[in-house]
Amino acid sequence: MRFTSLVVELIRARPRLVVWLVVLLQAALWLMLPVLIYRSPPGELATVLAFGREYQVGTWFGPPLAFWLADIAFRAVGNHMFGVYLLAQLCAIATFWTFYQLARAIVGGQQAVLAVLLSMTVVAFSSPGVEFGPLVLARPLWALLLLHSWQIIGQNRRSAWFAWSIEAGLLLLTTSAAIGLLLLIAGFAVATVRGRRTLMSLDPLYSLLVIVVLALPWLIWIVRADVLTMPPWPAIDDLSARALHWGTLLGGLVLAMSGVVLLVVLNSGWFARNAEEAPIIYRPPVDPLARQFVYCFAIAPALLGSVVAGVFNLERITGGAGVALLMSGLAAIVATGDLVYLRRQRLLRSVWAAAVAAPAFVAIGATLFLPWTGSNEVSTSLPAKAIARFFGDSFERRTNQRLRAVAGDPQLASFITMDAGRPHLLLDATPERTPWLSVAKFNETGGVVVWRAADTSGAPPPELLQRFPGLVPEVPRAFEWIVNGRQPLLRVGWAIVRPKGQ
């Protein structure tokens, strides 16, 4: 007798409901987890807020849109990280819902649910999605671009051109990889007959005009700042190291897709005894152009992004893993065929739930148990709020003025910029990256200089003494971790640079 679970019946009868349920559950998980166990922002999120608070048209980090939105979300909830975490999850919800709309247009609503479920297991859409920034904001914009690109090329819907142009302009204001991503879409259009037909109208010209208007401030800043330069090409002796780096990046993408691969293998019919009894998820035949579209944007962003990052020795895939792997779930569904047999349903549900929840358990385990090993500190366990409050209050008590600027250790200094007064950040080692503040202006307005103290004496590093002559260190301040374990207390050395006239 054929057994069909309630989940399968829901996928058949209410596919949209299933998508909303799983997407909202994952968003709720990654909204509450950082609020409960993170005492400091993950990754470079504090630096994103410090740069966003300046509302610069362009910075060393790239286009400004993500930085502006992060600061707006932070201020909207009373200078609390909850707003930024919520913004990151709204981006995740928008990404998967748009992805579902695209998949439904290609493989139908039922198999589109399976594509969303597969893509949700990609590691890039779990814990890294908490760290709001250009890479996270680019995901929903890229999903929208793909959806409207298919509507324009595959469905000949001219009304989608305006939305496409808005999204392309916003993507240019979000990530430096936008030009490459837009060239991929243009290349696909030129390489296909129906794509070339859509380019013969005046709509692309109007769209180009909208894109230029949206991105004009950023383009003007690029020209004035003289940053429109190619990274240096690698020397012949470095090619082997760059090739190894490319292989590492590509391997990281494969590892991030391990959940998709495992689910596909477990659902295969190689070892199934009663394959004819498995419930079937049906779809109408896929348009050959749609198949090319899916495979192109499932492979090209990952392959080319890793090659560019490998050649120019970049830390991460160009555009981010979330953009590169967005179409991986849909590509697996398209490759499966018109009939998808759901074999071993209980096992598939368990493995899918484990793949989605595993990054959360890893984050919890690292926070609670890694400190007991005494090996490495957990970056999200630093008491950012206590650090910001202490140094903001100390400066105000000593000078009777609110803290206007902070310098020294970039990580600690970025935490202090989250204080209620929102002091400016000065990267004194690389002042060109913070053009709104120089060392001379810092010495004039006053501020706090912080560093990691190795002992109770709190002597500042020699390089800080060179940049800030006459620095008089205070008694180091010790802070506790969320879980101390075997770690020593976090000792922060600090000194006050008094404003001129005091």
Side-chain angles (χ1 to χ4, degrees):
M1 179 178 178
R2 178 174 296 179
F3 168 76
T4 302
S5 67
L6 177 61
V7 174
V8 174
E9 291 300 333
L10 278 175
I11 291 175
R12 289 171 172 171
R14 303 290 298 276
R16 294 186 181 185
L17 177 62
V18 176
V19 171
W20 276 115
L21 285 175
V22 295
V23 170
L24 289 177
L25 283 174
Q26 188 189 46
L29 172 66
W30 287 107
L31 176 60
M32 298 310 299
L33 192 68
V35 171
L36 294 176
I37 70 171
Y38 286 4
R39 294 187 65 188
S40 58
E44 296 181 344
L45 186 50
T47 306
V48 169
L49 289 171
F51 275 63
R53 157 259 193 278
E54 305 297 337
Y55 287 93
Q56 299 282 306
V57 175
T59 65
W60 171 81
F61 275 102
L65 184 58
F67 302 92
W68 295 351
L69 292 179
D71 185 71
I72 292 171
F74 185 71
R75 293 176 185 269
V77 295
N79 291 346
H80 196 281
M81 288 303 303
F82 178 82
V84 188
Y85 295 145
L86 177 62
L87 179 60
Q89 297 315 308
L90 290 177
C91 287
I93 293 171
T95 299
F96 284 118
W97 180 248
T98 306
F99 177 61
Y100 168 73
Q101 298 291 338
L102 172 62
R104 187 179 67 170
I106 293 176
V107 297
Q110 297 179 6
Q111 289 199 11
V113 177
L114 302 182
V116 171
L117 294 176
L118 286 177
S119 290
M120 286 180 66
T121 64
V122 176
V123 177
F125 294 107
S126 55
S127 52
V130 176
E131 187 184 341
F132 181 81
L135 298 183
V136 172
L137 183 59
R139 297 171 186 177
L141 294 174
W142 176 239
L144 286 166
L145 268 175
L146 290 179
L147 171 63
H148 291 121
S149 296
W150 174 247
Q151 290 177 349
I152 293 169
I153 298 174
Q155 299 176 336
N156 196 26
R157 291 173 56 176
R158 296 180 59 186
S159 59
W161 271 109
F162 181 71
W164 189 94
S165 63
I166 296 293
E167 294 145 11
L170 293 178
L171 190 65
L172 284 169
L173 290 175
T174 300
T175 173
S176 301
I179 296 177
L181 296 173
L182 294 177
L183 287 177
L184 281 179
I185 296 177
F188 180 84
V190 171
T192 57
V193 175
R194 285 155 68 178
R196 290 193 295 270
R197 191 181 303 130
T198 61
L199 297 178
M200 298 304 294
S201 66
L202 293 177
D203 294 321
L205 295 179
Y206 295 139
S207 298
L208 183 60
L209 179 62
V210 174
I211 293 172
V212 171
V213 170
L214 279 174
L216 186 60
W218 163 241
L219 297 176
I220 292 175
W221 182 87
I222 288 179
V223 174
R224 289 184 174 180
D226 196 22
V227 295
L228 194 61
T229 57
M230 284 286 293
W233 288 91
I236 299 296
D237 297 339
D238 296 334
L239 289 179
S240 59
R242 299 293 174 89
L244 181 61
H245 180 54
W246 170 72
T248 303
L249 294 173
L250 200 60
L253 292 180
V254 174
L255 184 62
M257 290 180 54
S258 56
V260 176
V261 175
L262 180 59
L263 287 169
V264 171
V265 171
L266 291 176
N267 193 50
S268 65
W270 298 337
F271 307 106
R273 296 180 179 179
N274 300 314
E276 67 281 356
E277 296 183 1
I280 298 172
I281 303 296
Y282 169 78
R283 74 167 184 235
V286 175
D287 186 339
L289 181 63
R291 191 181 299 271
Q292 298 171 9
F293 183 87
V294 171
Y295 291 156
C296 173
F297 292 104
I299 297 173
L303 184 60
L304 296 180
S306 61
V307 168
V308 171
V311 169
F312 296 111
N313 199 29
L314 305 179
E315 293 182 0
R316 55 173 63 95
I317 301 295
T318 305
V323 167
L325 300 178
L326 177 63
M327 296 287 283
S328 57
L330 182 56
I333 293 299
V334 170
T336 301
D338 294 341
L339 302 179
V340 176
Y341 293 87
L342 295 180
R343 308 175 180 91
R344 309 178 183 89
Q345 297 174 52
R346 293 185 179 87
L347 179 60
L348 290 178
R349 290 199 302 269
S350 301
V351 172
W352 179 85
V356 171
F361 285 110
V362 170
I364 295 173
T367 300
L368 299 181
F369 302 112
L370 192 59
W372 292 98
T373 65
S375 54
N376 295 313
E377 67 179 41
V378 181
S379 60
T380 54
S381 295
L382 277 74
K385 193 172 182 178
I387 292 173
R389 185 187 302 113
F390 173 80
F391 291 109
D393 292 346
S394 298
F395 184 86
E396 189 169 356
R397 286 197 304 268
R398 299 286 186 90
T399 64
N400 201 28
Q401 296 183 18
R402 68 176 181 86
L403 179 61
R404 290 188 175 88
V406 60
D409 182 274
Q411 184 185 36
L412 298 176
S414 62
F415 290 162
I416 301 173
T417 62
M418 296 164 54
D419 190 35
R422 301 301 304 277
H424 299 277
L425 174 66
L426 170 63
L427 298 177
D428 50 275
T430 53
E432 68 278 1
R433 297 182 180 181
T434 52
W436 53 84
L437 190 62
S438 64
V439 175
K441 188 175 180 181
F442 181 90
N443 290 328
E444 180 180 346
T445 60
V448 170
V449 182
V450 292
W451 61 89
R452 296 277 187 125
D455 50 39
T456 56
S457 66
E463 56 271 18
L464 279 182
L465 290 175
Q466 292 179 359
R467 290 190 287 269
F468 300 98
L471 202 65
V472 180
E474 306 283 347
V475 177
R477 179 69 164 86
F479 296 91
E480 290 189 351
W481 307 84
I482 186 173
V483 176
N484 287 324
R486 297 180 179 178
Q487 298 178 111
L489 295 177
L490 174 64
R491 286 191 175 89
V492 179
W494 61 292
I496 289 180
V497 176
R498 293 183 174 273
K500 289 293 178 66
Q502 284 199 355

